[in-house]
Amino acid sequence: EAGVAQSPRYKIIEKRQSVAFWCNPISGHATLYWYQQILGQGPKLLIQFQNNGVVDDSQLPKDRFSAERLKGVDSTLKIQPAKLEDSAVYLCASSLEGMVETQYFGPGTRLLVL
Amino acid sequence: AQSVTQPDIHITVSEGASLELRCNYSYGATPYLFWYVQSPGQGLQLLLKYFSGDTLVQGIKGFEAEFKRSQSSFNLRKPSVHWSDAAEYFCAVGPEGTYKYIFGTGTRLKVLA
């Protein structure tokens, strides 16, 4: 079974630029999550999708971050404009519907904002 | 407020030695408890989880954890560490049946040959 795929794996941008990350969850997983993991900290949930609908985006900085999952499968997370403090690893995870306590994580995208 | 504390930022052990990683949580009810491992350049992999029942939980890769309600702890153990266990370990806590996990800050494990 293929795992959660993410791209790119690394990205370096300058502040005020925009950036987008892509995630393809495990086949059949209806629930998708984006996490932000700042160096030295544990992951923090940014947004959760159930199919193509947003369940929880309470911790997403909506002035600069956006996410979509148009067809209920893969998802993109965008930052525009980026700030220095956005430097982090962005993790995507997925789970089966009704089993949200068991999440499978992708390898992450490491973002450095200069 | 819910919180998770992993008191040890770094731990170094020799290969073949036993390991215990500490995790303390603050939560009003019985939480769901998890241990994840993150190898360099990899995503988080679930080692084990506790929802209810037997307080000693067996996981993958020879790891186990014990839930101690009186101490609000969920420590991870392994009787004999292998060099491939070098990684960062995260404890997480979440309300029953939800996705709202709170992760600890992690413990980085180094294994000496």
Side-chain angles (χ1 to χ4, degrees), chain A residues 51-94:
Chain A
N51 296 308
N52 60 350
V54 175
V55 174
D56 183 352
D57 62 357
S58 58
Q59 298 194 89
L60 188 73
K62 299 180 188 62
D63 58 333
R64 297 183 300 104
F65 285 65
S66 64
E68 60 183 15
R69 193 184 184 200
L70 293 176
K71 297 182 179 179
V73 180
D74 55 353
S75 174
T76 56
L77 176 69
K78 297 179 182 178
I79 308 175
Q80 183 179 11
K83 293 185 175 181
L84 297 178
E85 58 262 35
D86 298 331
S87 294
V89 176
Y90 291 85
L91 296 166
C92 180
S94 68

Short mmCIF file of all heavy atoms in Angstrom, two decimals, chain A residues 51-94:
data_model
loop_
_atom_site.label_atom_id
_atom_site.label_comp_id
_atom_site.label_asym_id
_atom_site.label_seq_id
_atom_site.Cartn_x
_atom_site.Cartn_y
_atom_site.Cartn_z
N ASN A 51 -13.35 14.49 3.11
CA ASN A 51 -13.59 14.53 1.67
C ASN A 51 -13.15 15.91 1.16
O ASN A 51 -12.03 16.31 1.38
CB ASN A 51 -15.02 14.17 1.34
CG ASN A 51 -15.33 12.74 1.74
OD1 ASN A 51 -14.60 11.82 1.35
ND2 ASN A 51 -16.36 12.53 2.52
N ASN A 52 -14.00 16.67 0.52
CA ASN A 52 -13.54 17.97 0.02
C ASN A 52 -14.03 19.12 0.88
O ASN A 52 -13.91 20.28 0.49
CB ASN A 52 -13.96 18.17 -1.43
CG ASN A 52 -15.47 18.12 -1.60
OD1 ASN A 52 -16.19 17.77 -0.67
ND2 ASN A 52 -15.96 18.47 -2.76
N GLY A 53 -14.56 18.82 2.07
CA GLY A 53 -15.03 19.87 2.96
C GLY A 53 -14.11 20.09 4.13
O GLY A 53 -13.49 19.15 4.62
N VAL A 54 -14.03 21.34 4.57
CA VAL A 54 -13.20 21.69 5.71
C VAL A 54 -13.94 21.37 7.00
O VAL A 54 -15.08 21.82 7.20
CB VAL A 54 -12.83 23.19 5.69
CG1 VAL A 54 -12.06 23.56 6.96
CG2 VAL A 54 -11.99 23.51 4.45
N VAL A 55 -13.31 20.59 7.88
CA VAL A 55 -13.89 20.26 9.17
C VAL A 55 -13.42 21.23 10.24
O VAL A 55 -14.19 21.67 11.09
CB VAL A 55 -13.54 18.82 9.58
CG1 VAL A 55 -14.02 18.51 10.98
CG2 VAL A 55 -14.10 17.83 8.56
N ASP A 56 -12.12 21.55 10.19
CA ASP A 56 -11.54 22.41 11.22
C ASP A 56 -10.38 23.18 10.62
O ASP A 56 -9.42 22.57 10.16
CB ASP A 56 -11.08 21.56 12.40
CG ASP A 56 -10.54 22.40 13.56
OD1 ASP A 56 -10.37 23.63 13.41
OD2 ASP A 56 -10.26 21.81 14.63
N ASP A 57 -10.48 24.48 10.59
CA ASP A 57 -9.35 25.32 10.17
C ASP A 57 -9.09 26.40 11.20
O ASP A 57 -8.61 27.49 10.89
CB ASP A 57 -9.58 25.92 8.79
CG ASP A 57 -10.79 26.83 8.73
OD1 ASP A 57 -11.49 26.97 9.76
OD2 ASP A 57 -11.06 27.41 7.66
N SER A 58 -9.42 26.11 12.45
CA SER A 58 -9.32 27.11 13.51
C SER A 58 -7.89 27.57 13.78
O SER A 58 -7.69 28.66 14.30
CB SER A 58 -9.94 26.56 14.79
OG SER A 58 -9.30 25.36 15.19
N GLN A 59 -6.90 26.77 13.45
CA GLN A 59 -5.52 27.16 13.71
C GLN A 59 -4.77 27.53 12.43
O GLN A 59 -3.55 27.65 12.44
CB GLN A 59 -4.78 26.04 14.45
CG GLN A 59 -5.39 25.74 15.82
CD GLN A 59 -4.48 24.90 16.67
OE1 GLN A 59 -3.65 25.42 17.41
NE2 GLN A 59 -4.62 23.59 16.59
N LEU A 60 -5.51 27.72 11.36
CA LEU A 60 -4.90 28.14 10.10
C LEU A 60 -4.85 29.66 10.04
O LEU A 60 -5.89 30.31 10.15
CB LEU A 60 -5.73 27.60 8.93
CG LEU A 60 -5.13 27.79 7.53
CD1 LEU A 60 -3.96 26.83 7.33
CD2 LEU A 60 -6.21 27.54 6.47
N PRO A 61 -3.67 30.24 9.86
CA PRO A 61 -3.56 31.71 9.74
C PRO A 61 -4.14 32.15 8.40
O PRO A 61 -3.43 32.23 7.39
CB PRO A 61 -2.05 31.97 9.84
CG PRO A 61 -1.45 30.71 10.34
CD PRO A 61 -2.34 29.60 9.87
N LYS A 62 -5.40 32.46 8.38
CA LYS A 62 -6.12 32.62 7.13
C LYS A 62 -5.73 33.88 6.37
O LYS A 62 -6.08 34.02 5.18
CB LYS A 62 -7.62 32.61 7.39
CG LYS A 62 -8.11 31.30 8.00
CD LYS A 62 -9.60 31.33 8.23
CE LYS A 62 -10.07 30.12 9.00
NZ LYS A 62 -9.48 30.03 10.36
N ASP A 63 -5.01 34.77 7.01
CA ASP A 63 -4.59 35.97 6.28
C ASP A 63 -3.51 35.64 5.26
O ASP A 63 -3.32 36.37 4.27
CB ASP A 63 -4.08 37.03 7.25
CG ASP A 63 -2.93 36.55 8.12
OD1 ASP A 63 -2.84 35.31 8.35
OD2 ASP A 63 -2.12 37.37 8.55
N ARG A 64 -2.83 34.51 5.45
CA ARG A 64 -1.74 34.18 4.52
C ARG A 64 -1.77 32.72 4.06
O ARG A 64 -1.16 32.39 3.05
CB ARG A 64 -0.39 34.47 5.18
CG ARG A 64 -0.20 35.94 5.51
CD ARG A 64 1.17 36.22 6.09
NE ARG A 64 1.41 35.48 7.33
CZ ARG A 64 2.18 34.41 7.42
NH1 ARG A 64 2.78 33.94 6.32
NH2 ARG A 64 2.37 33.80 8.57
N PHE A 65 -2.43 31.87 4.80
CA PHE A 65 -2.47 30.45 4.46
C PHE A 65 -3.84 30.11 3.86
O PHE A 65 -4.87 30.61 4.32
CB PHE A 65 -2.28 29.58 5.72
CG PHE A 65 -0.88 29.53 6.25
CD1 PHE A 65 -0.26 30.65 6.76
CD2 PHE A 65 -0.17 28.33 6.25
CE1 PHE A 65 1.03 30.60 7.27
CE2 PHE A 65 1.11 28.27 6.76
CZ PHE A 65 1.71 29.40 7.28
N SER A 66 -3.79 29.23 2.86
CA SER A 66 -5.03 28.70 2.31
C SER A 66 -4.80 27.24 1.93
O SER A 66 -3.67 26.82 1.68
CB SER A 66 -5.50 29.49 1.09
OG SER A 66 -4.56 29.38 0.04
N ALA A 67 -5.86 26.47 1.92
CA ALA A 67 -5.76 25.06 1.56
C ALA A 67 -7.03 24.65 0.84
O ALA A 67 -8.10 25.20 1.11
CB ALA A 67 -5.54 24.20 2.79
N GLU A 68 -6.87 23.71 -0.05
CA GLU A 68 -8.03 23.20 -0.75
C GLU A 68 -7.87 21.72 -1.05
O GLU A 68 -6.76 21.20 -1.12
CB GLU A 68 -8.28 23.98 -2.04
CG GLU A 68 -7.15 23.92 -3.05
CD GLU A 68 -7.44 24.76 -4.28
OE1 GLU A 68 -8.36 25.59 -4.25
OE2 GLU A 68 -6.73 24.58 -5.28
N ARG A 69 -9.02 21.08 -1.23
CA ARG A 69 -9.05 19.66 -1.57
C ARG A 69 -10.26 19.47 -2.48
O ARG A 69 -11.28 18.95 -2.09
CB ARG A 69 -9.18 18.81 -0.30
CG ARG A 69 -8.91 17.34 -0.53
CD ARG A 69 -9.14 16.52 0.72
NE ARG A 69 -8.78 15.13 0.51
CZ ARG A 69 -9.21 14.12 1.27
NH1 ARG A 69 -10.02 14.36 2.29
NH2 ARG A 69 -8.83 12.89 1.02
N LEU A 70 -10.09 19.96 -3.71
CA LEU A 70 -11.23 20.15 -4.59
C LEU A 70 -11.98 18.87 -4.93
O LEU A 70 -13.20 18.85 -4.97
CB LEU A 70 -10.77 20.85 -5.87
CG LEU A 70 -10.30 22.30 -5.66
CD1 LEU A 70 -9.77 22.88 -6.96
CD2 LEU A 70 -11.43 23.16 -5.11
N LYS A 71 -11.29 17.80 -5.18
CA LYS A 71 -11.96 16.58 -5.61
C LYS A 71 -12.00 15.53 -4.52
O LYS A 71 -12.28 14.36 -4.78
CB LYS A 71 -11.29 16.02 -6.86
CG LYS A 71 -11.38 16.95 -8.06
CD LYS A 71 -10.74 16.35 -9.30
CE LYS A 71 -10.87 17.28 -10.50
NZ LYS A 71 -10.22 16.71 -11.71
N GLY A 72 -11.67 15.94 -3.31
CA GLY A 72 -11.73 15.01 -2.19
C GLY A 72 -10.60 14.01 -2.16
O GLY A 72 -10.68 13.03 -1.42
N VAL A 73 -9.56 14.26 -2.95
CA VAL A 73 -8.42 13.34 -2.92
C VAL A 73 -7.18 14.12 -2.52
O VAL A 73 -6.91 14.28 -1.34
CB VAL A 73 -8.22 12.63 -4.28
CG1 VAL A 73 -7.03 11.69 -4.22
CG2 VAL A 73 -9.48 11.87 -4.66
N ASP A 74 -6.41 14.63 -3.52
CA ASP A 74 -5.21 15.35 -3.15
C ASP A 74 -5.54 16.77 -2.71
O ASP A 74 -6.65 17.27 -2.91
CB ASP A 74 -4.17 15.32 -4.27
CG ASP A 74 -4.72 15.83 -5.59
OD1 ASP A 74 -5.94 16.09 -5.66
OD2 ASP A 74 -3.94 15.97 -6.53
N SER A 75 -4.54 17.38 -2.09
CA SER A 75 -4.75 18.68 -1.47
C SER A 75 -3.53 19.56 -1.69
O SER A 75 -2.41 19.07 -1.86
CB SER A 75 -4.99 18.51 0.04
OG SER A 75 -5.06 19.75 0.70
N THR A 76 -3.76 20.87 -1.70
CA THR A 76 -2.66 21.82 -1.74
C THR A 76 -2.78 22.79 -0.58
O THR A 76 -3.89 23.18 -0.18
CB THR A 76 -2.64 22.61 -3.05
OG1 THR A 76 -3.90 23.25 -3.23
CG2 THR A 76 -2.35 21.72 -4.23
N LEU A 77 -1.66 23.16 -0.03
CA LEU A 77 -1.55 24.17 1.01
C LEU A 77 -0.70 25.30 0.45
O LEU A 77 0.38 25.06 -0.08
CB LEU A 77 -0.89 23.58 2.27
CG LEU A 77 -0.63 24.54 3.42
CD1 LEU A 77 -1.95 24.97 4.07
CD2 LEU A 77 0.28 23.90 4.47
N LYS A 78 -1.20 26.52 0.55
CA LYS A 78 -0.50 27.66 0.00
C LYS A 78 -0.20 28.69 1.07
O LYS A 78 -1.01 28.89 2.00
CB LYS A 78 -1.33 28.31 -1.11
CG LYS A 78 -1.58 27.41 -2.31
CD LYS A 78 -2.42 28.12 -3.36
CE LYS A 78 -2.70 27.19 -4.55
NZ LYS A 78 -3.57 27.83 -5.57
N ILE A 79 0.93 29.34 0.93
CA ILE A 79 1.29 30.44 1.81
C ILE A 79 1.58 31.65 0.92
O ILE A 79 2.39 31.57 0.00
CB ILE A 79 2.53 30.14 2.67
CG1 ILE A 79 2.37 28.82 3.41
CG2 ILE A 79 2.77 31.28 3.66
CD1 ILE A 79 3.61 28.40 4.19
N GLN A 80 0.89 32.76 1.20
CA GLN A 80 1.08 33.96 0.39
C GLN A 80 0.67 35.20 1.17
O GLN A 80 -0.53 35.34 1.49
CB GLN A 80 0.25 33.85 -0.90
CG GLN A 80 0.43 35.02 -1.86
CD GLN A 80 -0.41 34.84 -3.12
OE1 GLN A 80 -1.27 33.97 -3.20
NE2 GLN A 80 -0.18 35.69 -4.11
N PRO A 81 1.56 36.08 1.52
CA PRO A 81 3.02 36.01 1.35
C PRO A 81 3.67 35.30 2.53
O PRO A 81 3.16 35.32 3.65
CB PRO A 81 3.41 37.49 1.33
CG PRO A 81 2.42 38.12 2.28
CD PRO A 81 1.13 37.35 2.11
N ALA A 82 4.81 34.68 2.28
CA ALA A 82 5.50 33.96 3.35
C ALA A 82 6.24 34.92 4.27
O ALA A 82 6.73 35.97 3.85
CB ALA A 82 6.47 32.96 2.75
N LYS A 83 6.33 34.53 5.52
CA LYS A 83 7.10 35.25 6.54
C LYS A 83 8.21 34.35 7.04
O LYS A 83 8.15 33.12 6.90
CB LYS A 83 6.20 35.68 7.70
CG LYS A 83 5.17 36.73 7.35
CD LYS A 83 4.42 37.15 8.61
CE LYS A 83 3.46 38.29 8.30
NZ LYS A 83 2.72 38.73 9.52
N LEU A 84 9.18 34.97 7.67
CA LEU A 84 10.31 34.20 8.20
C LEU A 84 9.84 33.10 9.15
O LEU A 84 10.37 31.99 9.14
CB LEU A 84 11.30 35.13 8.92
CG LEU A 84 11.98 36.19 8.07
CD1 LEU A 84 12.89 37.05 8.96
CD2 LEU A 84 12.79 35.58 6.94
N GLU A 85 8.83 33.43 9.96
CA GLU A 85 8.36 32.47 10.97
C GLU A 85 7.59 31.30 10.38
O GLU A 85 7.20 30.38 11.10
CB GLU A 85 7.50 33.17 12.02
CG GLU A 85 6.28 33.88 11.47
CD GLU A 85 6.51 35.37 11.29
OE1 GLU A 85 7.65 35.77 10.93
OE2 GLU A 85 5.54 36.13 11.51
N ASP A 86 7.38 31.30 9.06
CA ASP A 86 6.73 30.17 8.41
C ASP A 86 7.72 29.04 8.12
O ASP A 86 7.31 27.96 7.66
CB ASP A 86 6.06 30.60 7.11
CG ASP A 86 4.97 31.62 7.32
OD1 ASP A 86 4.34 31.61 8.41
OD2 ASP A 86 4.74 32.45 6.42
N SER A 87 8.99 29.27 8.35
CA SER A 87 9.98 28.22 8.16
C SER A 87 9.65 27.05 9.08
O SER A 87 9.58 27.21 10.31
CB SER A 87 11.39 28.75 8.48
OG SER A 87 11.77 29.74 7.55
N ALA A 88 9.44 25.90 8.49
CA ALA A 88 8.96 24.74 9.24
C ALA A 88 8.89 23.55 8.29
O ALA A 88 9.12 23.68 7.08
CB ALA A 88 7.58 25.01 9.83
N VAL A 89 8.54 22.40 8.86
CA VAL A 89 8.19 21.25 8.04
C VAL A 89 6.67 21.17 8.01
O VAL A 89 6.01 21.25 9.05
CB VAL A 89 8.77 19.94 8.63
CG1 VAL A 89 8.29 18.74 7.81
CG2 VAL A 89 10.29 20.00 8.63
N TYR A 90 6.13 21.02 6.82
CA TYR A 90 4.68 20.92 6.65
C TYR A 90 4.35 19.46 6.35
O TYR A 90 4.76 18.89 5.35
CB TYR A 90 4.19 21.87 5.56
CG TYR A 90 4.33 23.29 6.03
CD1 TYR A 90 5.53 23.98 5.89
CD2 TYR A 90 3.29 23.93 6.70
CE1 TYR A 90 5.69 25.27 6.38
CE2 TYR A 90 3.43 25.22 7.19
CZ TYR A 90 4.64 25.87 7.03
OH TYR A 90 4.79 27.15 7.55
N LEU A 91 3.62 18.88 7.29
CA LEU A 91 3.28 17.47 7.22
C LEU A 91 1.84 17.30 6.79
O LEU A 91 0.95 18.01 7.25
CB LEU A 91 3.46 16.81 8.59
CG LEU A 91 4.88 16.76 9.14
CD1 LEU A 91 4.84 16.41 10.63
CD2 LEU A 91 5.71 15.75 8.39
N CYS A 92 1.64 16.33 5.92
CA CYS A 92 0.29 15.94 5.53
C CYS A 92 0.03 14.57 6.11
O CYS A 92 0.93 13.72 6.19
CB CYS A 92 0.17 15.90 4.01
SG CYS A 92 -1.46 15.42 3.40
N ALA A 93 -1.18 14.35 6.57
CA ALA A 93 -1.56 13.05 7.10
C ALA A 93 -2.96 12.70 6.59
O ALA A 93 -3.72 13.58 6.18
CB ALA A 93 -1.55 13.06 8.63
N SER A 94 -3.27 11.42 6.63
CA SER A 94 -4.61 11.01 6.23
C SER A 94 -5.09 9.88 7.12
O SER A 94 -4.29 9.20 7.78
CB SER A 94 -4.64 10.58 4.76
OG SER A 94 -3.93 9.37 4.54
#
